[in-house]
Amino acid sequence: MQFSFHENASCENLEIENDLYKYLIKARRHKVNDEIVFRNLKDKNIYLHKIVSIDRKKAFCKLLSREEKIVENSKYLHIGWCLVDPKTVEKSLASLNELGVGKITFIYCEYSQKNFKLNFEKLEKILINSSSQCGRSSIIKLETCNSLDSFLEENPNSYVLDFSENLIDDNKVDIQTFILGCEGGFSKNEREKFSSEKIIGFDSNLILRSETAIISASSKILI
């Protein structure tokens, strides 16, 4: 782990309990006078704390120093992801966070199943754990959008990932936002909203699952 997350990391005195206590004290076997790096993921600082006491359920730390340390991808990427099975999102989210994706907007498209509901609290925990491991000083911002029309109105320069001879490799410098369809792809009505020069694809004849396509596209654009 590059750091441990605590929402109150900036405080002079820090109380460690519950799962974080189990991880730091029981699993990692930290002791009194050990120094631990924390982030709160609300600012760009790292906070160095020293453990001053430990009891059966809690540990108490004192702030030693703080330092601004920004660890981010040099390029920003916003993904409009037409809503898929939440389990698919959960499997892919840590990898997208490690790649440096800046924001994901989940869009309710025509082929999205309306009964799918995202647990944003669970997704945030996945993102926090991912950033703790890779060292990123933020997490992906998550949003929802009720329709493709609304998303395109707010993001008129979006590219669309679909079957196309206009390859993503040839356009990645310009891509700041792209849209990915759900398992059923885009409807005929939705496809008519896209201009041909904004449709990009892979140099492949294979049909990729949503999680494969989103990680592959993000990787090509960001690294």
Side-chain angles (χ1 to χ4, degrees):
M1 301 287 277
Q2 301 301 306
F3 61 85
S4 292
F5 169 78
H6 198 298
E7 62 181 357
N8 298 319
S10 62
C11 295
E12 291 294 324
N13 298 293
L14 201 60
E15 188 175 290
I16 308 300
E17 58 185 345
N18 300 324
D19 288 343
L20 186 57
Y21 174 88
K22 293 176 184 177
Y23 172 71
L24 291 176
I25 307 304
K26 299 296 185 180
R28 296 293 298 271
R29 299 184 182 277
H30 280 295
K31 300 177 177 62
V32 172
N33 292 325
D34 282 357
E35 297 179 358
I36 304 174
V37 174
F38 289 91
R39 283 191 186 270
N40 58 23
L41 294 175
K42 291 181 285 190
D43 56 38
K44 300 301 182 183
N45 295 335
I46 56 172
Y47 298 92
L48 182 64
H49 281 261
K50 181 172 74 172
I51 300 176
V52 294
S53 66
I54 300 172
D55 63 26
R56 293 182 62 184
K57 293 185 177 180
K58 296 181 180 181
F60 300 89
C61 301
K62 184 175 181 60
L63 181 64
L64 298 178
S65 65
R66 70 188 72 200
E67 175 189 356
E68 183 177 72
K69 186 175 182 181
I70 301 173
V71 183
E72 298 289 346
N73 198 301
S74 59
K75 182 171 183 180
Y76 179 82
L77 179 63
H78 176 198
I79 302 173
W81 195 356
C82 294
L83 193 59
V84 295
D85 189 327
K87 292 180 181 178
T88 298
V89 175
E90 292 167 13
K91 287 192 298 183
S92 309
L93 201 57
S95 296
L96 295 170
N97 190 65
E98 290 169 19
L99 287 168
V101 172
K103 180 165 73 169
I104 299 176
T105 301
F106 298 101
I107 309 169
Y108 285 91
C109 293
E110 290 187 27
Y111 290 162
S112 294
Q113 294 190 36
K114 303 306 179 185
N115 62 322
F116 284 158
K117 301 295 181 184
L118 294 169
N119 183 339
F120 281 91
E121 183 177 348
K122 184 176 182 180
L123 298 182
E124 185 174 286
K125 288 181 179 178
I126 293 172
L127 290 171
I128 288 171
N129 186 59
S130 169
S131 287
S132 297
Q133 293 187 25
C134 71
R136 179 174 173 172
S137 54
S138 68
I139 59 174
I140 297 174
K141 183 178 180 181
L142 303 177
E143 295 180 346
T144 58
C145 185
N146 290 328
S147 70
L148 183 60
D149 283 336
S150 296
F151 186 85
L152 288 171
E153 184 176 347
E154 294 177 8
N155 303 275
N157 294 319
S158 299
Y159 285 77
V160 180
L161 188 62
D162 203 5
F163 288 103
S164 174
E165 294 182 359
N166 185 23
L167 301 180
I168 190 171
D169 296 282
D170 299 330
N171 295 271
K172 63 182 183 179
V173 173
D174 301 319
I175 300 172
Q176 292 187 329
T177 304
F178 76 83
I179 303 169
L180 177 68
C182 55
E183 282 94 341
F186 298 104
S187 69
K188 181 180 178 181
N189 179 53
E190 288 171 337
R191 289 180 188 277
E192 292 174 352
K193 304 178 189 297
F194 309 142
S195 57
S196 58
E197 68 271 12
K198 291 291 187 178
I199 301 175
I200 51 173
F202 296 113
D203 186 14
S204 173
N205 296 320
L206 303 176
I207 298 174
L208 303 180
R209 293 177 300 166
S210 183
E211 61 263 40
T212 306
I214 197 168
I215 292 173
S216 299
S218 299
S219 299
K220 284 179 175 291
I221 295 168
L222 291 171
I223 60 176

